[in-house]
Every structure is written in C-alpha cells, then in structure tokens.
Amino acid sequence: MKNIPWKKIGLFAGGVLFGTAGVRVLSSKDAKKCYTHATAAVLRAKSDVMATATKVRENCDDILADAKEINEQRALAEEAAVIADECEEIADTSEE
C-alpha cells in the first residue's frame, strides 16, 4: 500500500468527477439556451458583415467603371491630339 501513488489516483478521480460534472453542465437546458443566443448573435453579425461587404463591392465596381471611363476619355483626347498634330504637319507641308 505504500507504493500506490494516491496523489495521482486522487487527481485522476477528481478529473473524472469534474469532467462528468462539466459534461452535464455543458449539456444542460440553460447551456443550450446560451448556445442558441450566442449562435443567433453570430448570425446577426454575419448578416451585417455581408451587407457591408456587398456595399463595399458595389462601391468598388462603381469606382472601377468610373476609372475605365476616365481612361477611355484620356485615350480619345490623346488620339484627337495626335490627329490634330498630323493635320498641322500636313497643312504645313502643303503650304510650302
């Protein structure tokens, strides 16, 4: 009896006791109610995050469309400037 590790056996028994009690507490009606409310809060938060993400995506799409329009306008202006320069060169060579 002297070589039996009573401290280790006691710790094991205490762990089993607390584990069993913990499982009962975690599976109780009150715990289920708490889990349900927490899950509902997470779902509401998810909904808000998704709404914000959708709004940001729409704004990004608008920004992208505006940026493409600006680039198209610049390209047309540059093309018009090149054509105007060529017209001036042709006019200058025909005057000579």
Side-chain angles (χ1 to χ4, degrees), residues 25-94:
V25 168
L26 293 175
S27 61
S28 70
K29 261 187 177 179
D30 290 334
K32 183 179 176 184
K33 191 177 204 179
C34 179
Y35 303 147
T36 303
H37 284 286
T39 302
V42 168
L43 289 174
R44 285 191 303 272
K46 176 188 170 199
S47 177
D48 289 343
V49 167
M50 293 307 292
T52 302
T54 300
K55 190 179 289 187
V56 168
R57 174 168 272 149
E58 288 171 355
N59 287 340
C60 288
D61 290 342
D62 292 344
I63 290 169
L64 180 62
D66 290 345
K68 285 181 179 181
E69 180 65 29
I70 289 169
N71 285 339
E72 287 175 12
Q73 294 298 325
R74 280 189 171 190
L76 290 174
E78 288 175 7
E79 188 177 324
V82 169
I83 292 173
D85 288 343
E86 289 177 6
C87 288
E88 285 179 18
E89 287 177 15
I90 293 172
D92 287 344
T93 57
S94 63

